[in-house]
């Protein structure tokens, strides 16, 4: 109970720190944003709101100006089950990538950040 409370307070502090220091997203023209949105429509991030590793990935998404669907794998039983059954483990963050008719589940915040940077960093 106390541990849960401490975790919650720490989580709120991380969210507040993220909000305070969040970098500005790049200015995309509506056409550029539409093109990016089309490229990210096949992506979904399974995550917890208060997980620091998820905050790290969400900051990258924000910094790159991407719109990627966020799926709450803690409170939404459907997404939790999808992550375990299809991804293989209940660990977040995990990026679901649908490409060429195949689905890939990319775990590890650093690997997700590197993948996003490589794909969208120079856009
Ligand atoms: N090395 C991993 C660590 C991820 C991690 O520990 N995530 C925690 C949440 S903060 C988790 O998914 N725990 C499993 C659970 O709570 O069921 C990364 O950088 O992505």
């Amino acid at each position: 109970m106390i541990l849960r409370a401490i975790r919650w307070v720490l989580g709120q502090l991380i969210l507040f720190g993220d909000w305070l220091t969040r970098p500005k997203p790049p200015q995309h023209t509506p056409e550029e944003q539409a093109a990016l949105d089309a490229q990210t429509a096949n992506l979904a991030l399974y995550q917890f709101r208060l997980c620091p590793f998820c905050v790290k990935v969400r900051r990258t998404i924000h910094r790159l100006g991407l719109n990627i669907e966020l799926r709450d794998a803690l409170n939404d039983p459907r997404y939790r089950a999808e992550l375990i059954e299809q991804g293989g483990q209940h660990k977040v963050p995990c990026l679901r990538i649908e490409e060429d008719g195949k689905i890939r589940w990319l775990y590890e915040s650093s690997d997700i950040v590197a993948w996003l940077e490589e794909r969208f960093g120079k856009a």
Side-chain angles (χ1 to χ4, degrees), residues 71-118:
R71 296 183 174 173
D72 186 339
L74 184 66
N75 299 304
D76 190 319
R78 179 180 143 209
Y79 293 142
R80 185 188 167 91
E82 277 178 10
L83 183 61
I84 297 169
E85 286 159 22
Q86 297 174 39
Q89 48 181 328
H90 189 240
K91 193 170 87 171
V92 290
C94 180
L95 187 67
R96 181 186 186 275
I97 305 165
E98 199 169 343
E99 244 172 4
D100 306 324
K102 289 193 199 121
I103 295 171
R104 180 175 164 207
W105 296 82
L106 182 61
Y107 286 94
E108 286 302 319
S109 55
S110 299
D111 292 345
I112 298 171
V113 167
W115 191 88
L116 290 172
E117 287 282 3
E118 168 147 1

